[in-house]
Amino acid sequence: MDKLIVSPSPHDENYTKTTNIMLNVIIALLPAWGAAVYFFGLRVIPLTAVCIGSCIFFEYVCRTMMKRSNTIGDLSAVVTGLILAMNLPSTLPYWMAVIGSFVAIVIVKQLFGGLGQNFANPAITARIVLMISFPAAMTKWVEPFTHTDLDAISSATPLPLAGTDNAVSYLDLFLGKTGGCLGETCALALLIGGLYLAARKIISLAAPLSFIGSLFILSWISSSDPVYQILAGGVFLGAFFMATDYATTPITTKGKIVFGLGCGIITFIIRRFGSYPEGVSFSILLMNVLTPYIEQLTRTKVLGAKEAEKNEG
């Protein structure tokens, strides 16, 4: 005779484990990473290895020092290192990448309790810290296919060239044939990765679509080239891989839409009126801080809650 097992929700036994989620994110990032190797050369490989290796090292050391169960096997540190690498220029010195990994893992992630407890996206925060601390190194871009002499081939990213005679073509922006961070140039590869995650039900498209859509509409209203604005910079990388982070973004669909709209609006404001040509990283970080309030405003009301309040009165 079968026993009746009483247990708290959720009752679905086919839940997706953290390791499987992280593995799917790694797979989704591979097309963009491969495009970076193709366009910016073999230095992308050791730079990525430094980011991933140092993230794993710092996580292991932190968990050991705090006498907590080690979590390097869940692949979250690997994902953090890979996303951090995708947010860096190919010319960045390795020691700076190690500092970025330290900020991401030790300060943003582990000091707040580890995976799921961090208030902000670790890779985004690390990029901003590096950008503020080492602005020259973090804005040194190279032209694709000319990575044999890194000191002689620095170039501008597409965003400052918008509306000028030197503006990059839509095709080059879509394929990634332009200067920029490793993972933000090839929109096609990022789109493939994002759709893969959506098809695997790892992410919802609510935040990415509201992010990209709001930036597109605001750019169109302000007479900026909306297609150029969404293809240039880190919009696709941020929308699909960082605005969908489980720990730092809202859970509800309404919350995800609000989060994406906020990212799009702040990105537009920074690009249009700020001193930085790019605003994706800052917009996501600011919306990470607002996530608890967004969840509170968009949370689903408990069935019968209103009636209970009336009865109490």
Side-chain angles (χ1 to χ4, degrees):
M1 182 177 180
D2 294 336
K3 294 181 179 180
L4 175 63
I5 300 175
V6 180
S7 63
S9 61
H11 304 291
D12 184 4
E13 296 182 356
N14 296 319
Y15 62 88
T16 304
K17 294 182 178 180
T18 301
T19 304
N20 292 333
I21 294 173
M22 297 301 167
L23 181 59
N24 276 286
V25 174
I26 293 170
I27 293 172
L29 282 168
L30 287 180
W33 184 81
V37 175
Y38 176 70
F39 286 119
F40 300 119
L42 295 179
R43 193 178 188 276
V44 171
I45 298 175
L47 180 60
T48 306
V50 167
C51 290
I52 294 175
S54 54
C55 279
I56 294 173
F57 171 78
F58 288 131
E59 177 138 332
Y60 178 81
V61 171
C62 271
R63 302 297 292 187
T64 302
M65 291 179 65
M66 293 186 293
K67 297 181 180 180
R68 296 178 179 176
S69 59
N70 222 292
T71 54
I72 59 174
D74 65 12
L75 299 180
S76 62
V78 176
V79 170
T80 298
L82 181 55
I83 293 180
L84 174 60
M86 302 293 267
N87 279 278
L88 304 177
S90 61
T91 55
L92 191 77
Y94 298 131
W95 65 271
M96 291 185 186
V98 173
I99 292 177
S101 299
F102 177 85
V103 171
I105 296 297
V106 178
I107 298 178
V108 183
K109 185 180 178 184
Q110 293 302 330
L111 288 185
F112 285 89
L115 183 64
Q117 306 298 318
N118 46 293
F119 76 98
N121 185 288
I124 279 285
T125 309
R127 176 183 180 176
I128 291 174
V129 169
L130 290 175
M131 192 182 304
I132 295 173
S133 303
F134 312 107
M138 284 293 291
T139 55
K140 183 179 180 182
W141 320 110
V142 296
E143 292 284 353
F145 308 123
T146 56
H147 36 72
T148 54
D149 183 7
L150 297 179
D151 292 328
I153 48 178
S154 59
S155 66
T157 54
L159 280 171
L161 302 177
T164 69
D165 294 336
N166 296 321
V168 183
S169 68
Y170 290 162
L171 182 60
D172 285 346
L173 288 174
F174 188 65
L175 297 179
K177 192 178 177 182
T178 182
C181 292
L182 302 186
E184 68 179 22
T185 59
C186 186
L188 172 61
L190 293 166
L191 184 61
I192 291 172
L195 293 178
Y196 168 81
L197 290 178
R200 297 282 295 175
K201 300 188 184 303
I202 302 298
I203 66 169
S204 164
L205 289 177
L209 291 180
S210 59
F211 186 168
I212 297 170
S214 58
L215 179 60
F216 183 95
I217 292 171
L218 289 172
S219 299
W220 176 67
I221 292 174
S222 66
S223 299
S224 299
D225 186 338
V227 177
Y228 197 96
Q229 289 297 319
I230 64 171
L231 291 179
V235 176
F236 277 38
L237 178 62
F240 286 112
F241 294 98
M242 290 178 283
T244 56
D245 179 40
Y246 287 8
T248 59
T249 58
I251 298 174
T252 64
T253 300
K254 289 181 181 178
K256 294 178 191 297
I257 293 173
V258 172
F259 186 93
L261 288 173
C263 289
I265 293 169
I266 296 172
T267 299
F268 168 77
I269 292 173
I270 293 175
R271 286 184 175 184
R272 184 75 173 179
F273 305 107
S275 58
Y276 284 97
E278 177 61 288
V280 172
S281 299
F282 292 99
S283 70
I284 294 175
L285 179 60
L286 289 172
M287 293 307 295
N288 284 162
V289 176
L290 295 176
T291 290
Y293 304 101
I294 296 173
E295 287 191 331
Q296 187 175 7
L297 293 172
T298 60
R299 64 184 177 185
T300 304
K301 296 186 181 298
V302 179
L303 182 64
K306 290 185 178 179
E307 288 75 4
E309 291 173 1
K310 290 180 181 178
N311 291 337
E312 288 178 2

